[in-house]
Amino acid sequence: MIEAILLLLLILLAIVAVETQILRMAVVFLGIFSLLLSFLYLYYGAPDVAIAEAVMASGLVTLLYLTALKRYRVYNICFTNQMFREVDDRYIVEGTRRGQLLHEVEQFCISKELEPQIVFTPEDLETLMGTRKYDLIIRQEGDQLTIYGSQENYFVDELEMLLILRYQDLNTRFMRYAEDGSFVEES
Amino acid sequence: MKQKASIVSSITGLLYPFIIVFGIYVILNGHDTPGGGFQGGAILAVLFIGRYIVAHTDDFNIGRAHNTEKALLVVLILVPVVFVFGSLSRRFPQYNQVYLVFMNLLIGFKVALGLTVVVFRYAFYEDR
Amino acid sequence: MRQVALTVFVVLLMGLVLFIANGHREILDNEVSAYYLQNFTSDTGAGNAVAAIYLNYRMYDTIFEALILITSIIGMLHFFKAGGNK
């Protein structure tokens, strides 16, 4: 009975760990998986292997994965401007107030231990949203700057606070999108 | 990540002596009860790595630990070559237990140093 | 299409493995293990059969395991040479 429950839980946890979107949770599920596996070893009468499994897989490997996750996270930012067919980095970066905003976003990412990676494209919003490659999309239409961020990403909230405090003169607004790509109304 | 989580760090500080005692217990009783050098060494390694995760210490000298580990490996190869393959274990059966405990201690410290070096090297590398 | 083909392949493979494993009965010659279980205390003075095996009967195993660990550490130190504080 215990054996059957443990084996079924193992399969369930493995599937959940693979299917989870958030990597940190997947690591935690793998830790629980290893712990249950060590219980199973103990049940089968192999306490030596159980100790090794519990210490190595559920302690060391989890710590190693967490260190790796904490250290290296790339934050993809996309700056899109459909008005200009030819994209020129200098137009955005040099000296202007918008360049300052972009710089501020970069600094914010670095302070959060994310590695900012900014891409400039002339593509339209639908294509960019469809690829799902970007965590933050900044779109310029004439004077209007719109920043699209995922609803579940809590960095976007902090970024919004920061930008609203410092860049009131720019015509900036924030949009959130849900997991399925539909926009969420700002409350 | 410069600020410390005070609850986690104080609880881990309370746990250090227990982890040390447990690891050495597992190593020293490896010849009589389940456990042994490898498992106890891994427990001791978890101690060092947990200390790094909590307090972000970088006072661990990787080069010295690596050299110590190499020296331990030489002893680890020499002792059984002399004792087991030289069939001293049959001639002097009264030293068998001493040999087992000594080997477990060697393996334990070697594994602890090795795993700690791996994780610390990795963490420092990513720390750039 | 590719996904469906892969799924079918994996399910078929799983069925094959389960089918083979179900009819398989391995009968091992347990002469050696019986000898170890009877004589390990008098031979090596250990109370734990696992310790007796990995520190006395199968010593080569332990030596090369320690060698594997140190080889992997040397490789890791070599490849992560850049950066770090030491």
Coordinates of all heavy atoms in Angstrom, one line a residue, chain B residues 79-97 99-100, chain C residues 40-45 52 55-57:
Chain B
V79 N 46.8 3.2 1.7 CA 46.4 2.4 2.9 C 45.8 1.0 2.5 O 46.3 0.0 3.0 CB 45.5 3.2 3.8 CG1 44.9 2.3 4.9 CG2 46.3 4.3 4.4
P80 N 44.8 1.0 1.6 CA 44.3 -0.3 1.3 C 45.2 -1.2 0.5 O 45.2 -2.4 0.6 CB 43.0 0.0 0.5 CG 43.1 1.4 0.1 CD 44.0 2.1 1.1
V81 N 46.1 -0.5 -0.3 CA 47.0 -1.3 -1.1 C 47.9 -2.1 -0.1 O 48.2 -3.3 -0.3 CB 47.9 -0.4 -2.0 CG1 49.1 -1.1 -2.5 CG2 47.0 0.0 -3.2
V82 N 48.4 -1.4 0.9 CA 49.2 -2.1 1.9 C 48.4 -3.1 2.7 O 48.9 -4.2 2.9 CB 49.9 -1.0 2.8 CG1 50.7 -1.7 3.9 CG2 50.9 -0.2 2.0
F83 N 47.3 -2.6 3.2 CA 46.6 -3.4 4.2 C 45.8 -4.6 3.6 O 45.9 -5.7 4.1 CB 45.7 -2.5 5.0 CG 45.1 -3.1 6.3 CD1 45.9 -3.2 7.4 CD2 43.9 -3.6 6.3 CE1 45.4 -3.8 8.5 CE2 43.4 -4.2 7.4 CZ 44.2 -4.3 8.6
V84 N 45.0 -4.3 2.6 CA 44.1 -5.4 2.1 C 44.9 -6.2 1.0 O 44.9 -7.4 1.1 CB 42.9 -4.7 1.4 CG1 42.0 -5.8 0.8 CG2 42.1 -4.0 2.5
F85 N 45.5 -5.5 0.0 CA 46.1 -6.3 -1.0 C 47.4 -6.9 -0.5 O 47.9 -8.0 -1.0 CB 46.4 -5.4 -2.2 CG 45.2 -4.7 -2.7 CD1 45.2 -3.5 -3.3 CD2 44.0 -5.4 -2.7 CE1 44.1 -2.9 -3.8 CE2 42.8 -4.8 -3.2 CZ 42.9 -3.5 -3.7
G86 N 48.0 -6.4 0.5 CA 49.2 -7.0 1.1 C 48.8 -8.1 2.1 O 49.6 -8.6 2.9
S87 N 47.5 -8.4 2.2 CA 46.9 -9.4 3.0 C 47.4 -9.3 4.5 O 47.5 -10.3 5.2 CB 47.2 -10.8 2.5 OG 48.5 -11.1 2.4
L88 N 47.6 -8.0 4.9 CA 47.8 -7.8 6.3 C 46.5 -8.0 7.1 O 46.5 -8.2 8.3 CB 48.3 -6.4 6.6 CG 49.8 -6.1 6.2 CD1 50.1 -4.6 6.5 CD2 50.7 -7.0 6.9
S89 N 45.4 -7.8 6.4 CA 44.1 -7.9 7.0 C 43.8 -9.3 7.5 O 43.1 -9.5 8.5 CB 43.0 -7.4 6.1 OG 42.2 -8.5 5.7
R90 N 44.4 -10.3 6.9 CA 44.3 -11.7 7.4 C 45.3 -12.0 8.5 O 45.0 -12.8 9.4 CB 44.4 -12.7 6.2 CG 43.3 -12.6 5.3 CD 43.3 -13.7 4.2 NE 42.3 -13.4 3.2 CZ 41.0 -13.8 3.4 NH1 40.7 -14.5 4.4 NH2 40.1 -13.6 2.4
R91 N 46.4 -11.4 8.3 CA 47.5 -11.7 9.3 C 47.2 -11.0 10.7 O 47.5 -11.6 11.7 CB 48.8 -11.3 8.8 CG 49.9 -12.3 9.1 CD 51.3 -11.9 8.5 NE 51.3 -11.8 7.1 CZ 52.2 -11.2 6.4 NH1 53.2 -10.6 7.0 NH2 52.1 -11.1 5.0
F92 N 46.7 -9.8 10.6 CA 46.4 -9.1 11.9 C 45.0 -8.7 12.0 O 44.6 -7.6 11.7 CB 47.3 -7.8 12.0 CG 48.7 -8.0 11.8 CD1 49.4 -7.6 10.6 CD2 49.5 -8.5 12.8 CE1 50.7 -7.8 10.5 CE2 50.8 -8.7 12.7 CZ 51.5 -8.4 11.5
P93 N 44.1 -9.7 12.2 CA 42.7 -9.4 12.2 C 42.3 -8.4 13.3 O 41.2 -7.8 13.2 CB 42.0 -10.7 12.4 CG 43.1 -11.6 13.0 CD 44.4 -11.1 12.5
Q94 N 43.1 -8.2 14.3 CA 42.7 -7.3 15.4 C 42.7 -5.8 14.9 O 42.1 -5.0 15.5 CB 43.6 -7.4 16.6 CG 45.0 -7.0 16.5 CD 45.9 -8.2 16.0 OE1 45.4 -9.1 15.3 NE2 47.1 -8.2 16.4
Y95 N 43.4 -5.5 13.8 CA 43.4 -4.1 13.3 C 42.3 -3.8 12.3 O 42.3 -2.7 11.7 CB 44.8 -3.8 12.7 CG 45.9 -3.7 13.7 CD1 47.0 -4.6 13.7 CD2 45.8 -2.8 14.8 CE1 48.0 -4.5 14.6 CE2 46.8 -2.8 15.7 CZ 47.9 -3.6 15.6 OH 48.8 -3.5 16.6
N96 N 41.5 -4.8 12.0 CA 40.5 -4.6 11.0 C 39.6 -3.5 11.2 O 39.3 -2.7 10.3 CB 39.6 -5.9 10.8 CG 40.2 -6.8 9.7 OD1 40.7 -6.3 8.7 ND2 40.1 -8.1 9.9
Q97 N 39.1 -3.4 12.5 CA 38.2 -2.3 12.8 C 38.8 -0.9 12.7 O 38.3 0.0 12.2 CB 37.6 -2.5 14.2 CG 36.7 -3.7 14.3 CD 35.4 -3.3 15.0 OE1 35.4 -2.4 15.8 NE2 34.4 -4.1 14.7
Y99 N 41.2 -0.2 10.8 CA 41.4 0.1 9.3 C 40.1 0.6 8.8 O 40.0 1.6 8.0 CB 41.8 -1.2 8.6 CG 41.5 -1.2 7.1 CD1 42.3 -0.5 6.3 CD2 40.4 -1.9 6.6 CE1 42.1 -0.5 4.9 CE2 40.2 -1.9 5.3 CZ 41.0 -1.2 4.4 OH 40.8 -1.2 3.1
L100 N 38.9 0.0 9.1 CA 37.6 0.4 8.6 C 37.3 1.9 9.0 O 36.9 2.7 8.2 CB 36.5 -0.5 9.1 CG 36.5 -1.9 8.5 CD1 35.4 -2.7 9.1 CD2 36.3 -1.8 7.0
Chain C
F40 N 31.2 -12.1 6.6 CA 31.8 -10.8 6.5 C 32.3 -10.4 7.9 O 33.4 -9.7 8.0 CB 30.9 -9.8 5.9 CG 29.7 -9.3 6.8 CD1 29.9 -8.3 7.6 CD2 28.5 -10.0 6.7 CE1 28.8 -7.9 8.4 CE2 27.5 -9.6 7.5 CZ 27.6 -8.5 8.3
T41 N 31.7 -10.7 9.0 CA 32.1 -10.3 10.3 C 33.5 -10.9 10.6 O 34.4 -10.2 11.1 CB 31.1 -10.6 11.3 OG1 29.8 -10.2 10.9 CG2 31.4 -9.9 12.6
S42 N 33.6 -12.2 10.4 CA 34.9 -12.8 10.8 C 36.0 -12.4 9.8 O 37.2 -12.4 10.2 CB 34.7 -14.4 10.7 OG 34.2 -14.8 9.5
D43 N 35.7 -12.1 8.6 CA 36.7 -11.7 7.6 C 37.2 -10.3 7.8 O 38.4 -10.1 7.8 CB 36.2 -11.8 6.2 CG 36.3 -13.3 5.6 OD1 36.8 -14.1 6.4 OD2 35.9 -13.5 4.5
T44 N 36.3 -9.4 8.0 CA 36.7 -8.0 8.0 C 36.5 -7.3 9.3 O 36.9 -6.2 9.5 CB 35.9 -7.2 6.9 OG1 34.6 -7.2 7.3 CG2 36.1 -7.9 5.6
G45 N 35.7 -7.9 10.2 CA 35.5 -7.2 11.5 C 34.5 -6.1 11.5 O 34.4 -5.3 12.4
A52 N 31.7 -3.7 4.8 CA 32.7 -4.8 4.6 C 33.0 -5.0 3.1 O 34.1 -5.2 2.7 CB 32.1 -6.1 5.2
L55 N 34.8 -1.7 1.6 CA 36.2 -1.3 2.1 C 37.1 -2.5 2.1 O 38.3 -2.4 2.4 CB 36.1 -0.8 3.5 CG 35.5 0.6 3.6 CD1 35.5 1.1 5.0 CD2 36.4 1.6 2.8
N56 N 36.6 -3.7 1.8 CA 37.5 -4.9 1.9 C 37.4 -5.8 0.6 O 38.3 -5.9 -0.1 CB 37.2 -5.7 3.1 CG 38.4 -6.5 3.5 OD1 39.0 -7.1 2.7 ND2 38.8 -6.5 4.8
Y57 N 36.2 -6.3 0.4 CA 36.1 -7.2 -0.7 C 36.2 -6.5 -2.1 O 36.8 -7.1 -3.0 CB 34.7 -8.0 -0.6 CG 34.5 -8.9 0.5 CD1 33.5 -8.7 1.4 CD2 35.4 -9.9 0.7 CE1 33.3 -9.6 2.5 CE2 35.3 -10.8 1.8 CZ 34.2 -10.6 2.6 OH 34.0 -11.5 3.7

